[in-house]
Amino acid sequence: MTPAATRPRAPATQTLWTFEGSVPGPTLRGKVGDLFTVTLVNDGQMDHSIDFHASEVAWNDEMRSIAPGEQLVYQFRAEHTGIFMYHCGTAPALHHIGNGMYGALVVDPPDLAPVEPGETIRAWVLDAGPSENSSFHVVGTAFDTVYKEGEYQLRPGPNQGGAQALDLQPAQGGFVEFTLAENGLYPIVTHKFANVGQGALGLFHAGEVDQTGGAAH
Ligand SMILES: [Cu+2]
């Protein structure tokens, strides 16, 4: 191995546009048949809007852009199970989503068994884009259940295999289920490792973890 000099990146700051001050915005949750009523208040300095993928409404009505100081009420009934993106759809949407105006709404399937702590873990995953796809992977385990875009792709059974990644294009979502075999750290990544290199990395902690040692992947 030969070290080589590179030019460091200049530090940068970015003013984010948010739903309720966080990026991503709040995660909303419900079940099929629930009525969601969301009041969008534009406290910003330019037009914004909101588009719930879980809703079936006219684009020119609920999803219309509102000016600073205006507000609108967006009401819809959740008709389908899944994890659905919501985002600002004001043009250029790339800028509004890229600056932070996106989030997830989870509609749980009616037949899901409750998850016991320490046993099966269910992770809902949404690719909020705006332009990147994702290969969701948890280092150190395999998925025995994969649910994507409205249907099961894999369920546990005597003749079933395992899955290693949930592939999602922008605005697609689903969930995976898995177990963690022993105490330790299990990185959460998209297996597009260019994204990991840019900081897209999380960790599941299972049980007591000795963090004095190093690990690599
Ligand atoms: Cu916006």
Side-chain angles (χ1 to χ4, degrees):
M1 180 194 146
T2 306
T6 60
R7 186 189 307 173
R9 288 188 193 174
T13 60
Q14 179 180 2
T15 299
L16 299 175
W17 308 337
T18 74
F19 291 116
E20 295 203 344
S22 68
V23 176
T27 299
L28 307 181
R29 188 148 198 173
K31 55 186 187 303
V32 172
D34 281 357
L35 187 66
F36 288 82
T37 304
V38 175
T39 300
L40 180 70
V41 179
N42 187 348
D43 288 330
Q45 296 172 328
M46 70 188 79
D47 286 10
H48 291 293
S49 62
I50 196 164
D51 168 351
F52 284 98
H53 288 194
S55 71
E56 298 180 19
V57 300
W59 168 73
N60 62 310
D61 187 359
E62 285 87 346
M63 299 181 194
R64 70 185 184 277
S65 292
I66 59 173
E70 292 184 345
Q71 65 180 48
L72 68 78
V73 177
Y74 190 134
Q75 190 173 70
F76 61 96
R77 198 171 294 282
E79 303 282 4
H80 302 288
T81 291
I83 182 169
F84 295 91
M85 184 174 180
Y86 68 83
H87 63 87
C88 179
T90 301
L94 176 67
H95 292 186
H96 288 254
I97 300 170
N99 270 340
M101 300 189 78
Y102 64 91
L105 184 154
V106 177
V107 183
D108 284 307
D111 61 340
L112 276 183
V115 176
E116 294 299 323
E119 296 184 352
T120 298
I121 295 169
R122 178 184 305 125
W124 285 93
V125 187
L126 173 73
D127 184 336
S131 300
E132 269 282 23
N133 55 24
S134 172
S135 178
F136 181 81
H137 173 72
V138 179
V139 179
T141 189
F143 308 142
D144 60 24
T145 304
V146 176
Y147 181 95
K148 176 185 170 185
E149 287 289 295
E151 65 179 351
Y152 283 95
Q153 300 197 328
L154 178 68
R155 303 187 84 158
N159 301 316
Q160 293 287 18
Q164 59 205 293
L166 170 58
D167 60 309
L168 299 170
Q169 291 292 336
Q172 291 188 316
F175 69 80
V176 296
E177 292 180 351
F178 54 94
T179 56
L180 303 177
E182 56 186 358
N183 288 0
L185 300 176
Y186 297 80
I188 307 161
V189 300
T190 167
H191 223 279
K192 294 180 63 168
F193 270 95
N195 300 139
V196 179
Q198 293 169 326
L201 174 69
L203 286 172
F204 284 109
H205 286 230
E208 292 294 314
V209 180
D210 175 7
Q211 302 206 51
T212 56
H217 185 75

